[in-house]
Coordinates of all heavy atoms in Angstrom, one line a residue:
M155 N 129.9 104.1 128.0 CA 131.4 104.3 128.1 C 131.7 105.6 127.4 O 131.2 105.9 126.4 CB 132.1 103.2 127.2 CG 133.6 103.3 127.1 SD 134.3 102.0 126.2 CE 134.3 100.7 127.2
D156 N 132.5 106.3 128.1 CA 133.0 107.5 127.6 C 134.1 107.4 126.6 O 135.2 107.0 127.0 CB 133.4 108.5 128.8 CG 133.9 109.9 128.3 OD1 133.4 110.3 127.2 OD2 134.5 110.6 129.0
T157 N 133.9 107.8 125.3 CA 134.9 107.6 124.3 C 135.4 109.0 123.8 O 136.2 109.0 122.9 CB 134.3 106.8 123.1 OG1 133.3 107.6 122.7 CG2 133.9 105.5 123.4
S158 N 135.2 110.0 124.5 CA 135.6 111.3 124.1 C 137.1 111.5 124.1 O 137.6 112.4 123.4 CB 135.0 112.5 125.0 OG 135.4 112.2 126.3
G159 N 137.8 110.7 124.8 CA 139.3 110.8 124.8 C 139.9 110.1 123.7 O 141.1 110.2 123.5
L160 N 139.2 109.3 122.9 CA 139.7 108.5 121.8 C 139.8 109.4 120.5 O 139.1 110.4 120.4 CB 138.8 107.4 121.5 CG 138.7 106.3 122.6 CD1 137.7 105.2 122.1 CD2 140.0 105.7 122.9
L161 N 140.6 108.9 119.6 CA 140.7 109.6 118.2 C 139.3 109.4 117.6 O 138.6 108.5 117.8 CB 141.7 109.0 117.4 CG 143.1 109.2 117.8 CD1 144.0 108.3 117.0 CD2 143.6 110.6 117.7
V162 N 138.9 110.4 116.7 CA 137.7 110.4 116.0 C 137.4 109.0 115.3 O 136.3 108.4 115.4 CB 137.5 111.5 115.1 CG1 136.2 111.5 114.3 CG2 137.5 112.8 115.8
E163 N 138.4 108.5 114.7 CA 138.3 107.3 113.9 C 138.0 106.1 114.9 O 137.1 105.2 114.5 CB 139.6 107.0 113.2 CG 139.9 107.9 112.0 CD 140.5 109.2 112.5 OE1 140.9 109.3 113.7 OE2 140.7 110.1 111.7
R164 N 138.5 106.2 116.0 CA 138.3 105.1 117.1 C 136.8 105.2 117.6 O 136.2 104.3 117.8 CB 139.2 105.1 118.2 CG 140.7 104.9 117.7 CD 141.0 103.5 117.6 NE 142.4 103.3 117.2 CZ 142.9 102.2 116.9 NH1 142.2 101.2 116.7 NH2 144.2 102.1 116.5
R165 N 136.4 106.4 117.8 CA 135.0 106.7 118.3 C 134.0 106.2 117.3 O 133.0 105.6 117.6 CB 134.9 108.2 118.6 CG 135.6 108.6 119.8 CD 135.6 110.0 120.3 NE 134.6 110.8 119.8 CZ 134.7 112.1 119.7 NH1 135.9 112.7 120.0 NH2 133.7 112.8 119.2
V166 N 134.2 106.4 116.0 CA 133.3 106.0 114.9 C 133.3 104.5 114.9 O 132.2 103.9 114.8 CB 133.7 106.6 113.6 CG1 133.0 106.0 112.5 CG2 133.6 108.1 113.6
R167 N 134.5 103.9 115.0 CA 134.5 102.4 114.9 C 133.8 101.9 116.2 O 133.0 100.9 116.0 CB 136.0 101.9 115.0 CG 136.2 100.4 115.0 CD 135.6 99.7 113.8 NE 135.6 98.3 114.0 CZ 136.3 97.5 113.2 NH1 137.0 97.9 112.2 NH2 136.2 96.2 113.4
H168 N 134.0 102.4 117.3 CA 133.3 102.0 118.6 C 131.7 102.1 118.3 O 131.0 101.2 118.7 CB 133.7 102.8 119.7 CG 133.0 102.4 121.0 ND1 131.9 103.1 121.5 CD2 133.2 101.4 121.9 CE1 131.5 102.5 122.5 NE2 132.2 101.5 122.9
G169 N 131.3 103.3 117.8 CA 129.9 103.5 117.5 C 129.3 102.4 116.5 O 128.2 101.9 116.7
L170 N 130.1 102.1 115.5 CA 129.6 101.0 114.6 C 129.6 99.7 115.2 O 128.7 98.9 115.0 CB 130.6 101.0 113.4 CG 130.5 102.3 112.5 CD1 131.5 102.1 111.3 CD2 129.1 102.5 112.0
E171 N 130.6 99.4 116.1 CA 130.6 98.1 116.8 C 129.3 98.1 117.8 O 128.6 97.0 117.9 CB 131.8 97.9 117.7 CG 133.0 97.7 116.8 CD 133.1 96.3 116.3 OE1 132.3 95.5 116.5 OE2 134.0 96.0 115.5
V172 N 129.0 99.2 118.4 CA 127.8 99.2 119.3 C 126.6 99.0 118.4 O 125.7 98.3 118.8 CB 127.8 100.6 120.0 CG1 126.4 100.8 120.7 CG2 128.9 100.6 121.1
A173 N 126.6 99.6 117.3 CA 125.4 99.5 116.4 C 125.2 98.0 116.0 O 124.1 97.4 115.9 CB 125.5 100.4 115.2
R174 N 126.3 97.3 115.7 CA 126.3 96.0 115.3 C 125.7 95.1 116.4 O 124.9 94.2 116.2 CB 127.6 95.5 114.8 CG 127.6 94.1 114.2 CD 128.9 93.7 113.6 NE 130.0 93.6 114.6 CZ 131.2 93.1 114.3 NH1 131.4 92.7 113.1 NH2 132.1 93.1 115.2
A175 N 126.2 95.4 117.6 CA 125.6 94.6 118.8 C 124.2 94.8 119.0 O 123.4 93.9 119.2 CB 126.5 94.9 120.0
L176 N 123.8 96.1 118.9 CA 122.4 96.4 119.1 C 121.5 95.8 118.0 O 120.4 95.3 118.3 CB 122.2 97.9 119.2 CG 122.8 98.7 120.3 CD1 122.8 100.1 120.1 CD2 122.0 98.3 121.6
S177 N 122.0 95.8 116.8 CA 121.3 95.2 115.7 C 121.2 93.7 115.9 O 120.1 93.1 115.6 CB 122.0 95.4 114.3 OG 121.3 95.0 113.3
A178 N 122.1 93.1 116.5 CA 122.1 91.6 116.7 C 121.1 91.3 117.7 O 120.5 90.2 117.8 CB 123.5 91.1 117.1
W179 N 120.8 92.3 118.6 CA 119.8 92.1 119.7 C 118.4 92.6 119.2 O 117.5 92.7 120.0 CB 120.1 92.8 121.0 CG 121.3 92.3 121.7 CD1 121.8 91.1 121.7 CD2 122.3 93.1 122.5 NE1 122.9 90.9 122.5 CE2 123.2 92.2 123.1 CE3 122.3 94.4 122.8 CZ2 124.2 92.6 123.8 CZ3 123.4 94.8 123.6 CH2 124.3 93.9 124.1
N180 N 118.3 92.9 117.9 CA 117.1 93.3 117.3 C 116.6 94.7 117.9 O 115.5 95.0 117.8 CB 116.0 92.3 117.3 CG 115.0 92.5 116.2 OD1 115.4 93.1 115.2 ND2 113.8 92.0 116.5
R181 N 117.6 95.5 118.3 CA 117.3 96.9 118.7 C 117.7 97.8 117.6 O 118.6 98.6 117.7 CB 118.0 97.2 120.0 CG 117.5 96.3 121.2 CD 118.2 96.5 122.5 NE 118.4 97.9 122.9 CZ 119.2 98.3 123.8 NH1 120.0 97.3 124.5 NH2 119.3 99.5 124.1
I182 N 117.0 97.8 116.5 CA 117.3 98.5 115.3 C 117.3 100.0 115.4 O 118.2 100.7 114.9 CB 116.4 98.0 114.2 CG1 116.4 96.5 114.0 CG2 116.7 98.7 112.8 CD1 117.7 95.9 113.7
D183 N 116.3 100.5 116.2 CA 116.2 102.0 116.4 C 117.4 102.5 117.1 O 118.0 103.5 116.8 CB 114.9 102.3 117.1 CG 113.7 102.0 116.4 OD1 113.8 102.0 115.1 OD2 112.6 101.9 116.9
D184 N 117.8 101.7 118.1 CA 119.0 102.1 118.9 C 120.3 102.0 118.0 O 121.3 102.8 118.1 CB 119.2 101.3 120.2 CG 118.1 101.5 121.2 OD1 117.5 102.7 121.2 OD2 117.8 100.6 121.9
A185 N 120.4 100.9 117.2 CA 121.5 100.7 116.3 C 121.6 101.8 115.2 O 122.7 102.4 115.0 CB 121.4 99.4 115.7
L186 N 120.4 102.2 114.8 CA 120.4 103.3 113.8 C 120.9 104.6 114.4 O 121.6 105.3 113.8 CB 118.9 103.4 113.2 CG 118.7 104.6 112.3 CD1 119.6 104.5 111.1 CD2 117.3 104.8 111.9
A187 N 120.4 104.8 115.6 CA 120.9 106.0 116.3 C 122.4 106.1 116.5 O 123.1 107.1 116.3 CB 120.2 106.2 117.7
A188 N 123.0 104.9 116.8 CA 124.5 104.8 116.9 C 125.2 105.1 115.6 O 126.2 105.7 115.6 CB 124.9 103.4 117.5
V189 N 124.6 104.5 114.5 CA 125.2 104.8 113.2 C 125.1 106.3 112.8 O 126.0 106.8 112.3 CB 124.6 103.9 112.1 CG1 125.2 104.2 110.7 CG2 124.9 102.5 112.4
L190 N 124.0 106.9 113.1 CA 123.7 108.3 112.8 C 124.7 109.2 113.6 O 125.2 110.2 113.1 CB 122.2 108.7 113.0 CG 121.3 108.0 112.0 CD1 119.9 108.4 112.3 CD2 121.6 108.4 110.5
E191 N 124.9 108.8 114.8 CA 125.8 109.5 115.7 C 127.3 109.4 115.2 O 128.0 110.5 115.1 CB 125.7 109.0 117.1 CG 126.5 109.8 118.1 CD 126.4 109.3 119.5 OE1 125.3 108.9 119.9 OE2 127.4 109.2 120.2
A192 N 127.6 108.2 114.7 CA 128.9 108.1 114.2 C 129.1 108.9 112.8 O 130.1 109.5 112.5 CB 129.2 106.6 113.9
E193 N 128.0 109.0 112.1 CA 128.0 109.6 110.8 C 128.2 111.2 111.0 O 128.7 111.8 110.2 CB 126.7 109.4 110.1 CG 126.7 110.1 108.6 CD 125.3 109.9 108.0 OE1 124.3 109.8 108.6 OE2 125.4 109.8 106.7
Q194 N 127.7 111.7 112.1 CA 127.8 113.1 112.5 C 129.3 113.4 112.7 O 129.7 114.5 112.4 CB 127.0 113.5 113.6 CG 125.5 113.5 113.4 CD 124.7 113.9 114.6 OE1 125.2 114.0 115.7 NE2 123.5 114.2 114.4
L195 N 130.1 112.4 113.2 CA 131.5 112.6 113.5 C 132.3 112.7 112.2 O 133.1 113.7 112.1 CB 132.0 111.6 114.4 CG 131.5 111.6 115.9 CD1 132.0 110.3 116.6 CD2 132.0 112.9 116.6
T196 N 132.2 111.7 111.5 CA 132.9 111.6 110.2 C 132.0 110.9 109.1 O 132.1 109.7 108.9 CB 134.2 110.8 110.3 OG1 133.9 109.5 110.8 CG2 135.2 111.6 111.1
P197 N 131.3 111.7 108.4 CA 130.4 111.1 107.4 C 131.1 110.2 106.3 O 130.6 109.1 106.0 CB 129.7 112.3 106.7 CG 129.9 113.4 107.5 CD 131.1 113.1 108.3
E198 N 132.3 110.6 105.8 CA 133.0 109.9 104.8 C 133.5 108.6 105.4 O 133.5 107.6 104.6 CB 134.2 110.8 104.4 CG 135.3 111.1 105.3 CD 134.9 112.2 106.3 OE1 134.0 113.0 106.1 OE2 135.7 112.4 107.2
Q199 N 133.8 108.4 106.7 CA 134.4 107.2 107.1 C 133.2 106.2 107.3 O 133.2 105.1 106.9 CB 135.0 107.3 108.5 CG 135.5 106.0 109.1 CD 136.3 106.2 110.4 OE1 136.5 107.3 110.8 NE2 136.6 105.1 110.9
V200 N 132.0 106.7 107.8 CA 130.9 105.9 107.8 C 130.3 105.4 106.4 O 129.9 104.3 106.2 CB 129.7 106.6 108.6 CG1 128.4 105.8 108.6 CG2 130.1 106.8 110.1
R201 N 130.4 106.4 105.5 CA 129.9 106.1 104.2 C 130.7 104.9 103.5 O 130.1 104.2 102.7 CB 130.1 107.3 103.3 CG 129.5 107.2 101.9 CD 129.6 108.4 101.0 NE 129.1 109.6 101.8 CZ 129.9 110.6 102.1 NH1 131.1 110.7 101.6 NH2 129.4 111.7 102.7
H202 N 132.0 104.9 103.8 CA 132.9 103.8 103.1 C 133.2 102.6 104.0 O 133.8 101.7 103.5 CB 134.2 104.5 102.6 CG 133.9 105.6 101.6 ND1 133.4 105.3 100.4 CD2 134.0 106.9 101.7 CE1 133.3 106.4 99.7 NE2 133.6 107.5 100.5
H203 N 132.8 102.7 105.2 CA 133.1 101.6 106.1 C 132.2 100.3 105.9 O 131.0 100.4 105.8 CB 132.9 101.9 107.6 CG 133.7 101.1 108.6 ND1 133.3 99.8 108.9 CD2 134.9 101.3 109.2 CE1 134.2 99.3 109.7 NE2 135.1 100.2 109.9
Y204 N 132.8 99.1 105.7 CA 132.1 98.0 105.4 C 131.0 97.6 106.5 O 129.9 97.1 106.1 CB 133.1 96.7 105.2 CG 133.5 96.2 106.5 CD1 132.8 95.2 107.2 CD2 134.7 96.7 107.1 CE1 133.3 94.6 108.5 CE2 135.0 96.2 108.4 CZ 134.4 95.2 109.0 OH 134.9 94.7 110.2
M205 N 131.3 97.9 107.7 CA 130.3 97.6 108.8 C 129.0 98.4 108.7 O 127.9 97.9 108.8 CB 130.9 97.7 110.2 CG 130.2 97.1 111.2 SD 130.9 97.2 112.9 CE 132.6 96.8 112.6
S206 N 129.2 99.7 108.5 CA 127.9 100.5 108.4 C 127.1 100.1 107.1 O 125.9 100.0 107.1 CB 128.4 102.0 108.3 OG 129.1 102.3 107.2
R207 N 127.8 99.8 106.0 CA 127.1 99.5 104.8 C 126.4 98.1 104.9 O 125.3 98.0 104.5 CB 128.2 99.4 103.6 CG 128.8 100.8 103.4 CD 129.9 100.7 102.3 NE 129.4 100.3 101.0 CZ 128.8 101.2 100.1 NH1 128.6 102.5 100.4 NH2 128.4 100.7 99.0
D208 N 127.1 97.2 105.6 CA 126.6 95.9 105.9 C 125.3 96.0 106.8 O 124.3 95.4 106.5 CB 127.6 94.9 106.4 CG 127.2 93.5 106.5 OD1 126.6 93.0 105.5 OD2 127.3 92.9 107.6
L209 N 125.4 96.7 107.8 CA 124.3 96.9 108.7 C 123.1 97.5 108.0 O 122.0 96.9 108.1 CB 124.7 97.9 109.9 CG 125.5 97.2 111.0 CD1 125.9 98.4 111.9 CD2 124.6 96.3 111.8
V210 N 123.2 98.6 107.3 CA 122.2 99.3 106.6 C 121.6 98.4 105.6 O 120.3 98.2 105.5 CB 122.6 100.6 106.1 CG1 121.5 101.3 105.3 CG2 123.1 101.5 107.3
L211 N 122.4 97.7 104.8 CA 121.9 96.8 103.8 C 121.0 95.7 104.4 O 120.0 95.3 103.9 CB 123.0 96.3 103.0 CG 122.6 95.4 101.7 CD1 121.7 96.3 100.7 CD2 123.9 94.9 101.0
G212 N 121.5 95.2 105.5 CA 120.7 94.2 106.2 C 119.4 94.7 106.7 O 118.4 94.0 106.7
W213 N 119.3 95.9 107.2 CA 118.1 96.5 107.6 C 117.1 96.7 106.5 O 115.9 96.5 106.7 CB 118.3 97.9 108.4 CG 119.2 97.8 109.6 CD1 119.3 96.6 110.4 CD2 119.9 98.8 110.1 NE1 120.2 96.9 111.4 CE2 120.6 98.2 111.3 CE3 120.3 100.1 109.9 CZ2 121.4 99.0 112.1 CZ3 121.1 100.9 110.6 CH2 121.7 100.3 111.8
V214 N 117.7 97.2 105.4 CA 116.8 97.4 104.2 C 116.2 96.0 103.7 O 115.0 95.9 103.4 CB 117.6 98.1 103.0 CG1 116.8 98.1 101.7 CG2 117.9 99.5 103.5
R215 N 117.1 95.1 103.5 CA 116.7 93.7 103.1 C 115.7 93.1 104.1 O 114.8 92.3 103.7 CB 117.8 92.8 102.8 CG 118.5 93.3 101.5 CD 119.8 92.4 101.3 NE 120.4 92.8 100.1 CZ 121.6 92.3 99.7 NH1 122.2 91.4 100.5 NH2 122.1 92.7 98.6
G216 N 115.9 93.3 105.3 CA 115.1 92.6 106.4 C 113.7 93.2 106.6 O 112.9 92.7 107.4
T217 N 113.5 94.3 105.9 CA 112.2 95.0 106.2 C 111.2 94.6 105.2 O 111.4 94.5 103.9 CB 112.4 96.5 106.0 OG1 113.5 97.0 106.9 CG2 111.1 97.3 106.3
R218 N 110.0 94.3 105.7 CA 108.9 94.0 104.7 C 108.4 95.3 104.1 O 108.2 96.3 104.9 CB 107.7 93.3 105.4 CG 108.1 91.9 105.8 CD 106.9 91.2 106.5 NE 107.4 89.9 107.1 CZ 106.6 89.1 107.6 NH1 105.3 89.4 107.8 NH2 107.0 88.0 108.2
G219 N 108.2 95.4 102.9 CA 107.7 96.6 102.3 C 108.8 97.6 102.3 O 110.0 97.2 102.0
R220 N 108.6 98.8 102.5 CA 109.5 99.9 102.5 C 110.2 100.1 103.9 O 109.5 100.0 104.8 CB 108.8 101.2 102.1 CG 108.3 101.2 100.7 CD 107.7 102.5 100.3 NE 108.8 103.6 100.5 CZ 109.4 104.2 99.5 NH1 109.1 103.9 98.2 NH2 110.4 105.1 99.7
P221 N 111.5 100.3 103.9 CA 112.1 100.6 105.2 C 111.7 102.0 105.7 O 111.2 102.8 104.9 CB 113.6 100.6 104.9 CG 113.7 100.8 103.4 CD 112.4 100.4 102.8
S222 N 111.9 102.2 106.9 CA 111.6 103.5 107.6 C 112.3 104.6 106.8 O 113.4 104.3 106.3 CB 111.9 103.5 109.0 OG 113.3 103.5 109.2
Q223 N 111.9 105.8 106.9 CA 112.4 106.9 106.2 C 113.9 107.2 106.7 O 114.7 107.4 105.8 CB 111.6 108.1 106.3 CG 112.0 109.3 105.4 CD 111.8 108.8 103.9 OE1 110.8 108.2 103.6 NE2 112.8 109.1 103.2
P224 N 114.2 107.1 107.9 CA 115.6 107.3 108.4 C 116.5 106.3 107.8 O 117.7 106.6 107.4 CB 115.6 107.3 109.9 CG 114.2 107.6 110.2 CD 113.3 107.1 109.1
V225 N 116.1 105.0 107.8 CA 116.9 103.9 107.2 C 117.1 104.2 105.7 O 118.2 103.9 105.2 CB 116.4 102.6 107.5 CG1 117.1 101.5 106.8 CG2 116.3 102.3 109.0
A226 N 116.0 104.4 105.0 CA 116.0 104.7 103.6 C 117.0 105.9 103.3 O 117.7 105.8 102.2 CB 114.6 104.9 103.0
D227 N 116.9 106.9 104.0 CA 117.8 108.1 103.8 C 119.2 107.7 104.0 O 120.1 108.1 103.2 CB 117.4 109.3 104.7 CG 116.0 109.9 104.4 OD1 115.5 109.6 103.3 OD2 115.5 110.6 105.2
L228 N 119.5 106.9 105.0 CA 120.9 106.6 105.3 C 121.3 105.6 104.2 O 122.5 105.7 103.8 CB 120.9 105.9 106.7 CG 122.3 105.4 107.1 CD1 123.3 106.5 107.2 CD2 122.3 104.7 108.5
A229 N 120.6 104.6 103.8 CA 120.9 103.8 102.8 C 121.2 104.5 101.5 O 122.2 104.2 100.8 CB 119.8 102.8 102.5
E230 N 120.5 105.6 101.2 CA 120.8 106.4 100.0 C 122.1 107.1 100.2 O 122.9 107.2 99.2 CB 119.6 107.4 99.8 CG 119.8 108.2 98.5 CD 118.5 109.0 98.3 OE1 117.4 108.6 98.5 OE2 118.8 110.1 97.8
R231 N 122.4 107.7 101.3 CA 123.6 108.4 101.6 C 124.8 107.5 101.4 O 125.9 107.9 101.0 CB 123.6 109.1 102.9 CG 122.8 110.3 103.0 CD 123.1 111.1 104.2 NE 122.9 110.4 105.5 CZ 121.7 110.2 106.1 NH1 120.6 110.8 105.7 NH2 121.8 109.7 107.3
L232 N 124.7 106.2 101.9 CA 125.7 105.2 101.8 C 125.8 104.6 100.5 O 126.8 103.7 100.2 CB 125.5 104.1 103.0 CG 125.6 104.6 104.4 CD1 125.5 103.4 105.3 CD2 126.8 105.4 104.7
R233 N 124.8 104.8 99.6 CA 124.7 104.3 98.3 C 124.7 102.8 98.3 O 125.4 102.1 97.5 CB 125.9 104.8 97.4 CG 125.9 106.3 97.3 CD 127.0 106.8 96.3 NE 127.0 108.2 96.3 CZ 127.9 109.1 96.9 NH1 128.8 108.6 97.7 NH2 127.8 110.3 96.8
V234 N 123.9 102.1 99.2 CA 123.7 100.7 99.2 C 122.4 100.3 98.6 O 122.1 99.0 98.5 CB 123.8 100.1 100.7 CG1 125.2 100.4 101.3 CG2 122.7 100.8 101.5
V235 N 121.6 101.2 98.1 CA 120.3 100.8 97.4 C 120.4 101.5 96.0 O 121.1 102.4 95.7 CB 119.1 101.3 98.2 CG1 118.9 100.4 99.4 CG2 119.1 102.7 98.5

């Protein structure tokens, strides 16, 4: 879906919704890519949005051992670990 005509805040929210759906389908890599893409648009909105924080915290907690480096880096930026 082309979201380029939407306001940036709406595009970020759409990206987070897509990430949540992908995560529910256990497509974590694709979900992570959607969150990172949203973060490029407005890092401060992603940093403080409950959905991004909840997603990343779930990925960190659901990983055996250490999470992947991109997830760990994102979790640190969002300050959820």
